[in-house]
Amino acid sequence: QLHMIESIETLAKLIETGTADVEEIVGLLEKRDAHQQLIYSAARELTDTIHGNKILLRGIIEFSNICQSDCLYCGIRAGAPGVRRYRMTPAEIMACAREIKHSHCGTVVLQSGVDDGFTVQQLAEIIHRIKDDTGLAVTLSVGTRTRDELILLREAGADRFLLRFETCNSENFRKIHPFESFECRVACIRNLSKVGLQAGSGFMIGLPGADLKTIARDILFTRELNLDMIGCGPFIPSPGTPLSNESLLNDLSIYYKTMALIRIMNPYAHIPATTAFDSLLDGGRDEVLKCGANVFMPNFTPPKYKACYNLYPGKSSVDTSTDIYQTVKQRIEKMGRSVSSEVGHALRLK
């Protein structure tokens, strides 16, 4: 009973002040059973209080799997053998954007590898067309960009930009991303809000070399960056990559406690239940929605391309836009929640 009181006091401190030290976060990550459920309940109650019972829908288009980067865990890395590469045409992207609009999503998420062949000017033109044709909010996830490129994309109509910092351990970052510096990536993340974009970032939970202290520091770093959206997922290495033999965490509850603590540390951020959680555990995204997430991102990439965008094994997929919306709606309502077609801009803008 004394330990439970200590857990309650620590959580109350986090909710009230948003501050904690590494050891306090580690202590919560180690909690099990009733203590663990207490963390989930606190995160869920905080989410309901601030964001309500509705889940925002944001439709993803994976418009290119061509990538100049060689991240050591990724299934579409530049050096990955046997990947059928593709780059969607502007007409194909627009067709998907219209499907997303008709499927009651308020946002389109344009995601790709680091594809230098898809110029910033071309991307800006597509953003213009999406805004004019659908009125959807536009989120970009296209790798590290310069300040000038971010300004151009913002002027074209982009609303948000997502770039994970992956890990705040710069040494681990260099090992996993041999051709990019941690400092450069974080500089890009910090530039997002400066140029008028809503800032999204996050990390991979359980990267090789990460212990609970590392995860705790990553959680605290999400708070330091003052993010509008936080997208995190479990480390799941792709077969044939240099990290393919690395293991998942022994205690799967760490992944979910991490998401709950991210919510408690960042009460006003939008937090998606990322697809990778379904690969970790059947129905894994449902569990994340129960412990702090308030965004669901269905995938509208055309079927002929979906199989080629394999960042990790076991990626879930639904083939048609009608199936996507109905499946997601039923899935969310089964949990006692409802879907929202709202744009879902950053709460700080209100």
Side-chain angles (χ1 to χ4, degrees):
Q1 187 175 5
L2 179 60
H3 288 307
M4 182 65 78
I5 291 172
E6 290 173 351
S7 297
I8 292 171
E9 289 176 344
T10 303
L11 287 171
K13 175 190 172 184
L14 292 185
I15 294 169
E16 183 178 351
T17 69
T19 60
D21 58 35
V22 170
E23 295 302 329
E24 286 174 320
I25 298 295
V26 168
L28 291 172
L29 288 172
E30 291 175 333
K31 299 298 184 187
R32 300 297 301 272
D33 304 323
H35 302 268
Q36 178 178 315
Q37 295 304 317
L38 181 67
I39 296 169
Y40 297 157
S41 296
R44 171 65 186 271
E45 184 174 344
L46 195 58
T47 305
D48 288 351
T49 299
I50 294 173
H51 300 273
N53 194 48
K54 291 185 176 181
I55 303 299
L56 298 168
L57 298 185
R58 296 180 175 175
I60 298 175
I61 306 173
E62 298 159 335
F63 66 91
S64 171
N65 72 344
I66 298 170
C67 192
Q68 277 75 52
S69 292
D70 223 8
C71 307
L72 300 191
Y73 55 80
C74 182
I76 64 168
R77 63 195 296 261
V83 177
R84 183 170 69 85
R85 303 291 178 175
Y86 72 87
R87 183 183 290 137
M88 290 173 61
T89 66
E92 288 176 315
I93 295 172
M94 288 305 302
C96 290
R98 294 185 190 104
E99 287 187 31
I100 289 170
K101 175 69 174 179
H102 294 151
S103 296
H104 310 286
C105 298
T107 297
V108 55
V109 181
L110 297 176
Q111 180 175 313
S112 72
V114 181
D115 182 0
D116 293 342
F118 211 112
T119 69
V120 176
Q121 288 74 20
Q122 290 172 314
L123 193 53
E125 176 58 29
I126 289 170
I127 295 167
H128 270 303
R129 291 178 62 184
I130 290 174
K131 300 295 281 191
D132 289 344
D133 195 290
T134 70
L136 292 168
V138 176
T139 298
L140 299 173
S141 178
V142 292
T144 303
R145 299 288 175 168
T146 67
R147 185 186 178 98
D148 287 344
E149 288 174 325
L150 294 175
I151 291 172
L152 178 62
L153 295 170
R154 178 67 189 105
E155 290 175 346
D159 299 281
R160 313 181 189 114
F161 198 101
L162 172 64
L163 180 65
R164 285 180 172 177
F165 63 84
E166 303 284 41
T167 173
C168 65
N169 184 312
S170 58
E171 183 178 345
N172 282 354
F173 184 95
R174 279 193 297 272
K175 290 177 181 177
I176 294 165
H177 303 276
F179 302 107
E180 184 178 359
S181 75
F182 173 76
E183 292 74 18
C184 181
R185 182 167 293 205
V186 171
C188 178
I189 296 167
R190 294 190 188 279
N191 275 334
L192 297 177
S193 58
K194 294 177 183 177
V195 304
L197 288 161
Q198 296 168 50
S201 192
F203 59 95
M204 296 189 81
I205 307 166
L207 279 168
D211 56 14
L212 291 185
K213 285 188 176 181
T214 304
I215 296 172
R217 292 187 181 98
D218 288 339
I219 294 170
L220 292 170
F221 196 52
T222 63
R223 171 84 178 187
E224 180 184 331
L225 289 172
N226 194 27
L227 299 167
D228 299 307
M229 182 180 74
I230 302 171
C232 296
F235 165 73
I236 303 176
S238 186
T241 62
L243 297 181
S244 61
N245 293 324
E246 295 291 340
S247 301
L248 299 175
L249 297 175
N250 292 328
D251 179 4
L252 296 186
S253 74
I254 296 293
Y255 298 109
Y256 300 101
K257 283 180 283 190
T258 295
M259 296 305 297
L261 290 170
I262 288 170
R263 163 58 69 209
I264 292 168
M265 295 292 290
N266 301 272
Y268 293 97
H270 291 301
I271 299 178
T274 57
T275 309
F277 279 100
D278 275 348
S279 299
L280 178 72
L281 181 71
D282 186 30
R285 277 193 282 183
D286 297 359
E287 298 307 310
V288 182
L289 289 171
K290 294 175 184 176
C291 61
N294 70 310
V295 177
F296 197 98
M297 300 197 296
N299 191 330
F300 287 82
T301 306
K304 65 179 179 179
Y305 297 130
K306 270 185 182 178
C308 305
Y309 205 89
N310 279 327
L311 302 180
Y312 47 82
K315 188 178 174 190
S316 63
S317 175
V318 181
D319 287 337
T320 68
S321 61
T322 301
D323 285 342
I324 289 172
Y325 178 68
Q326 291 301 328
T327 300
V328 169
K329 185 173 182 290
Q330 292 170 10
R331 182 173 182 173
I332 289 172
E333 289 178 347
K334 189 176 180 180
M335 294 186 291
R337 315 290 282 273
S338 60
V339 297
S340 171
S341 60
E342 295 177 6
V343 172
H345 283 315
L347 293 190
R348 65 177 172 81
L349 300 180
K350 298 182 178 181

